[in-house]
Amino acid sequence: MTRRAVHFVGSFPAVDTETAMRAMLDAAGPRLRTLPTGETNRYEFYIRPIIEALVTQGVLEVRRSREWQSSRDRTRHRVANGGVLTADSMDLGYRRETEEALPVFTGLHRTRDLAGTALQIGMPTDFTLAFVALGATGVLRHRRAFAEATVREITAVRELAGTEVVIQLEATAELVLAATAQPLHTALDRALGLARGMAELAAAAPAGTRFGVHLCLGSLRNKARAILRDTRPLVDLANSVVRHWPAGRPLEFVHAPLAAGDVPPPRRPEFYSPLGDLALGEHTAFYAGLVHDVPTEQEQLQVLSLVEAALGRPVDGVASACGLGRRPRSVADAMLARADRIAAGDEPGP
């Protein structure tokens, strides 16, 4: 059996970047193929701090204020002063995050055995960022500006970190829309360019830039924005991403949520049966987002068996459904450790 990796989606409830990165490395270092920053400047609310920074920059303004108690009950924005939104006016902050994390990563690389482990920088897709900030109408009017700003940040991150960085594109709005549209999700993908848009971000990035894709159902306050009936929408969306993906930009993994916020992964074989149609290619790993704090570890291993039976092979890695930044530190630490144990599963001994 191939040794399973552990994948951490990105956010982690720590006081600073080094604390977050060390916690993840201590929990599952030998199994990590990428090491996230912990996103400690934005871990609790994910996209919200990015949008609020755009308000501070004078790019966006509040149209209707809410308390962000859920993804539905979020503050709505509009382009400031009725102006034109351009990429040059936006600073999304990923370059600064990389500047902060890179010395930590370099230091850990010197003192730990991190051969083959890359720095991971997570970025919501242009579609997701525009959708959360401006709503569906805003996506239609302003997606291009968000895309150009995202590509500029990808390019800056690549210039800073070279080939030792993997950009994780985080597709929350895309999967939520696909899940709620089932069985019309493939038509929606074509109409809105959900998968194509991710591929276009990669195509506009410097040649050789390494990518992963995190399909996401959201986890604000540990509540998902949608619940999958089965894995069909995420399989079809992942396959569409692969079909559109450009040459010369390695797609190293696709991560798929099998749990949904506080809802653990189902223990129904039929939920996972569409995974048999997953077609990622031999160079793209599949990370199963099944690690959850509610079931017992034995129940989690049963889910892993269901997933691998449907897939027809071992998964390449296990993960939680989303980042751990919306969980208490004690829960996050327990889930780090659980991910490592679940990955070991029924692997043969040394």
Side-chain angles (χ1 to χ4, degrees), residues 80-165:
N81 301 316
V84 177
L85 191 62
T86 65
D88 291 341
S89 64
M90 289 190 277
D91 179 357
L92 302 180
Y94 310 125
R95 178 189 173 91
R96 290 192 304 278
E97 185 174 310
T98 306
E99 288 173 334
E100 181 179 335
L102 195 55
V104 178
F105 179 77
T106 302
L108 292 171
H109 212 285
R110 283 198 305 264
T111 58
R112 309 259 190 131
D113 182 13
L114 295 187
T117 303
L119 178 65
Q120 178 180 306
I121 302 295
M123 299 184 187
T125 64
D126 57 305
F127 185 94
T128 287
L129 190 52
F131 189 90
V132 175
L134 299 172
T137 302
V139 172
L140 296 174
R141 292 180 179 175
H142 303 294
R143 182 179 181 181
R144 180 175 179 180
F146 281 100
E148 291 175 352
T150 301
V151 169
R152 189 185 65 234
E153 297 268 346
I154 292 171
T155 302
V157 168
R158 173 67 192 281
E159 288 174 352
L160 282 170
T163 59
E164 295 304 311
V165 65

Side-chain angles (χ1 to χ4, degrees), residues 67-89:
E67 294 300 317
W68 293 81
Q69 292 298 318
S70 70
S71 56
R72 291 179 184 272
D73 182 36
R74 68 184 188 273
T75 296
R76 305 303 171 106
H77 298 81
R78 61 191 170 204
V79 177
N81 301 316
V84 177
L85 191 62
T86 65
D88 291 341
S89 64

